[in-house]
Amino acid sequence: MTRDPSGLLVVVAIVCICLDWRAGLVAVAATSLMSAAMLLSPLDVTASSSARFAAYVFGALAVWLVVKIFRTTSFYDRVYQGAGAGTAHTPGLGWSAYPDGRLRFLNRAALEYVGITAEEMREVMDADDFSWWRRFVHPDDAETSMTQWRHSLKTGEPMIAEKRLRRLDGSYRWFRDTGVASRDERGRIVGWYGHTEDIDDRRKAEAALRKSERELRLLVDTVPTMIWLMTPAGLPYYFNKRFVDWAGIDPAQEEPRGTRRFASHVELFHPDDKAGVKAVFQKSFARGEPLQHKGRLCRKDGEYRWIDSRFEPLRDEDGTILRWYGVNFDIDDEVRAQESLRLADERLARALRAASLSELSVSIAHELNQPLQAVVANAGAFQRWLNADPPNFNHASRVAQKIIRNADAAAQVISRIRTLFSKAESEPQAVDLNAVIGEVCDLLGDRLASANVELDLHLDPDLPATVADHVQMEQVVLNLVRNGIEAMQDVDIDVRSLRIVSRHRNDGTVEVEVRDRGNGLSNPDRIFDAFYTTKPDGMGMGLAICRSIVEAHRGRIWAENVETGGASIAFSLPVRTGDSTKTLPRQQASE
């Protein structure tokens, strides 16, 4: 037995089966040396000993070759078919590895993806521990992936890595590789099992989404307005770059999104506007209603500028508010321009009133002539009653009362004329438009008579008063009536009729219409433009000033041709109570 080395073949077979072909070759060499020591003793070297030694070496190599061929040919059967449905049929690319990290198994999907057979995979696995990574992982990802794998092997922690794997056509796709250790009852790692998920489409979708978000953010940051977002509760959430640059907000020092206090941003508003802004914003948030508000906001240089703020809620299908979207428009230049235009309109209005002085002088003289003549006549009668013998004091007293009434009438005419051409503005007060129409008709009575114009008044006796500037309303009606008279200069005397109507509308407005029987308007849309006139000697400012006055009172004015002939110019004003009197001038200045 001691001189028969055939038992060593069992050792060679066991090493080849349990380990790999390299270890098998080492076992063949080692056992061959041992058999040589047994058979080729220097004291007993015969031809039969040499033959037996050669037979052993040949037999050992034959065992090694048979085991290697068996391992290669049965690799797929032993691993891929015997691995069990749980691994071989794993969705995606499934794999397993030995405790030391050597790859042991790839499922059919993984082999088909990389485009190799089971035998070729065995060669890759037998080459070295990381030949798989270098051959199929993208060069830019291979080193990082191997480092992560080594860390998991060292610590036993799960491996989660994203890398690009080469497909059989040479293209690379992104995969997420997840591997976990399998442990025995003693906690020792007995293997690694993993799943490699194709995330290429998701990565591309995420990249497209990030690109879209960048483009959207670029659009939001470059759009020429200030955009901001708030939570459903009204807490500031986001300000675009233009808002940040305009207001000087430092996002790095701001509180986390959705937790900023709204009160801190109210401090940006003008001290006179803070309380009103906070009230209207909180009211809108509570009711979930859109809001448009104008106020003064502090710019980063400390200047307060007029801002038009508008925001609306975004709701889901159930109507629940998800977020508030708002925009701020810097309208400071526009507000200042409107204020300058308003002041210019006032100056032009005074100039127009002054220019109308000569035209109204005859009417003024007529208005003053009657009471003054009555004063003169009654003064003579008063003197005669006093000079009578005896003096008649009763008659003189009655005549004196008439003189006082006539003097008061003259004083009222002069007061109206002074007010009309005064530089000072009247305080807004409750105005009866029917009374204004009556005063204008009395003032232009001579003009109507000399032009042979019949006056047709249809005034609503229940017309409510509205808060307005009495002098300006008188000027508007005066301009409309005078234009109506002038429009009928070229028509027959028999058809000259001027109709003035006042009415109360159901929408809470009062309306005054002046309708003539002239030749109509050639361009009704332009007659309210400044310096547009159809009169040879006209200035083109009368109706433009009328429009400015009416719009300053929150009203509107329009013109149209009448089918039966002539034109109609009308204006409407909202019915306002006396409580609005003090707020009207400040509101005008702010818009």
Side-chain angles (χ1 to χ4, degrees), residues 512-524:
V512 175
E513 178 188 11
V514 179
R515 179 180 299 187
D516 61 59
R517 297 291 299 277
N519 297 320
L521 302 171
S522 59
N523 194 344

Side-chain angles (χ1 to χ4, degrees), residues 353 419-420 425-440 465-481 510 512 514 545-557 571-574 584 588:
R353 291 198 296 267
T419 303
L420 182 61
E425 295 294 339
S426 301
E427 287 293 331
Q429 56 186 337
V431 174
D432 183 359
L433 291 179
N434 285 343
V436 172
I437 294 171
E439 293 172 2
V440 170
T466 182
V467 171
D469 188 301
H470 186 278
V471 175
Q472 290 184 353
M473 290 298 102
E474 200 171 60
Q475 182 183 357
V476 171
V477 177
L478 180 67
N479 273 313
L480 298 185
V481 173
V510 289
V512 175
V514 179
I545 293 175
C546 289
R547 181 178 65 178
S548 297
I549 293 174
V550 171
E551 290 179 352
H553 286 76
R554 308 295 192 274
R556 68 186 188 96
I557 188 170
F571 69 91
S572 65
L573 300 174
L584 181 59
Q588 286 178 226

